[in-house]
Amino acid sequence: MEKIASFTIDHERLERGIFVSRRDVTPSGDVITTFDIRLTRPNRDPAARPEALHAMEHLAATFLRNHTQWGGRVVYWGPMGCMTGNYLLLSGDYESRDILPLIKETMEFVAGFEGEIPGASPRDCGNWSFMDPEEARRLARRFLDEVIADPRHESLNYPE
Ligand SMILES: [Zn+2]
């Protein structure tokens, strides 16, 4: 089988940031943009704890789907299997810069969240106690302070 496109970028050179990983056109002609929201440098920094990305998933998905401007365009938010970040799929053709304010708001929501995680109950989730909200807050805060506050070119564009 052919190597799929996302496995052909050099993961040893990737930085943290917001990256367009693909644009797909559905049979009905709609464009779906897939972003990598990369929180740690692959193979160079420690990956995130899955419990933290799970808590972030519940918080970010809830925030994004309730967003007045973007909510209707959110197709999916969820953790990468390699635990170095998250995928965000949006309906429409976008660049990383277009969603900087949205990701800033999302991470601020996660970083400042107190109380019960939405959907963290046996009825609503398949592994509801597998959560580390404190580590999710710390990851979001670090991404805001070290990446989003002053995004560099390498944090918005994958290496050519
Ligand atoms: Zn869950």
Side-chain angles (χ1 to χ4, degrees), residues 54-55 57-58 118-120 124-128 130-131:
H54 186 206
E57 178 191 19
H58 279 238
D124 297 342
C125 171
N127 196 1
W128 70 277
F130 191 72
M131 297 261 182

Side-chain angles (χ1 to χ4, degrees), residues 10-77:
D10 182 356
H11 281 72
E12 291 181 307
R13 292 170 61 206
L14 301 188
E15 296 295 325
R16 297 178 292 172
I18 301 168
F19 305 98
V20 173
S21 74
R22 38 186 308 134
R23 287 188 185 84
D24 292 287
V25 182
T26 68
S28 48
D30 298 318
V31 177
I32 307 279
T33 306
T34 298
F35 290 97
D36 294 349
I37 313 296
R38 188 81 65 172
L39 303 178
T40 71
R41 298 184 308 162
N43 302 312
R44 288 184 283 167
D45 298 332
R49 298 186 65 221
E51 294 92 327
L53 288 194
H54 186 206
M56 185 179 282
E57 178 191 19
H58 279 238
L59 290 169
T62 301
F63 179 80
L64 287 164
R65 291 188 188 282
N66 282 288
H67 197 275
T68 42
Q69 185 193 344
W70 289 92
R73 299 194 162 265
V74 175
V75 177
Y76 176 75
W77 169 285

